[in-house]
Amino acid sequence: MVRCATLNVKGLNSNAKRRLLLLELKSLKADIVFLQETHFDGNSSFRFASHLYPTVYSAIHNRRRVGVAVLIAARCPLRVESSIMDPQGRYIILRGHLSDKPIILCNIYAPNTSQIPFLTRVLRKVFVDDSCSPIPMVLLGRDFNAIFSGSMDRLALPGKPIHS
């Protein structure tokens, strides 16, 4: 069994924050970790690799905002064969095999607006190759920046309507 975790980390350029995250991931015993909102600059993702998670895939934006990463533990039997990294730092799609079974890993950090068109575009890239046999398992780590219920998820201020 492979253990997965998905976290919105709200920035990881601080050494202290990266250390705290690694301690948390060690306690979770996560094999595959999906991180959103990493805010990595050009070299931070490489500094993030550790003996626990030697393999790091990251999609970064050139202005240290947004960003997603997938961390793979040393003990994880995942073989990645291809990857798609968004140049805007919003998604990563990894295709490979997990213990000889085909798998697709997708990590998404959706924008604050126009989530549906964005997600449609990304998920089409995930499911574009239907020639795989057997059909691959899909693991999705995500922050869709969407709400389930406007009345429960948004605070209405007096005299202002709740936005949809």
Side-chain angles (χ1 to χ4, degrees):
M1 177 170 70
V2 175
R3 299 183 114 181
C4 299
T6 183
L7 301 162
N8 182 315
V9 293
K10 296 186 173 108
L12 283 177
N13 283 307
S14 148
N15 283 333
K17 198 165 182 183
R18 286 195 299 267
R19 239 186 333 269
L20 287 172
L21 177 64
L22 284 171
L23 286 172
E24 177 70 15
L25 296 177
K26 185 177 180 180
S27 72
L28 290 173
K29 298 178 181 158
D31 298 304
I32 300 171
V33 180
F34 300 97
L35 302 176
Q36 300 86 37
E37 213 173 336
T38 58
H39 298 190
F40 281 149
D41 60 22
N43 298 318
S44 295
S45 60
F46 300 109
R47 290 191 314 237
F48 190 72
S50 73
H51 69 284
L52 295 174
Y53 297 95
T55 307
V56 177
Y57 294 89
S58 64
I60 59 174
H61 190 272
N62 61 1
R63 289 186 283 176
R64 286 179 60 166
R65 55 180 204 151
V66 299
V68 292
V70 177
L71 284 59
I72 301 171
R75 67 183 174 277
C76 183
L78 175 67
R79 247 183 15 258
V80 174
E81 295 162 357
S82 69
S83 61
I84 301 171
M85 281 25 158
D86 177 35
Q88 300 300 311
R90 292 273 180 193
Y91 64 86
I92 295 175
I93 301 169
L94 304 174
R95 294 178 188 275
H97 284 83
L98 182 64
S99 300
D100 296 326
K101 293 187 173 99
I103 188 166
I104 298 172
L105 304 177
C106 183
N107 192 10
I108 298 173
Y109 176 53
N112 292 331
T113 59
S114 304
Q115 292 96 344
I116 300 299
F118 171 81
L119 292 170
T120 302
R121 219 172 34 253
V122 174
L123 293 176
R124 279 193 179 131
K125 291 180 185 198
V126 172
F127 297 106
V128 70
D129 185 10
D130 56 5
S131 65
C132 291
S133 183
I135 297 170
M137 174 173 48
V138 176
L139 288 179
L140 182 65
R142 83 301 182 263
D143 179 345
F144 287 159
N145 266 325
I147 61 172
F148 293 109
S149 166
S151 61
M152 292 175 61
D153 292 343
R154 301 279 180 166
L155 178 62
L157 299 174
K160 293 197 175 188
I162 297 174
H163 299 288
S164 59

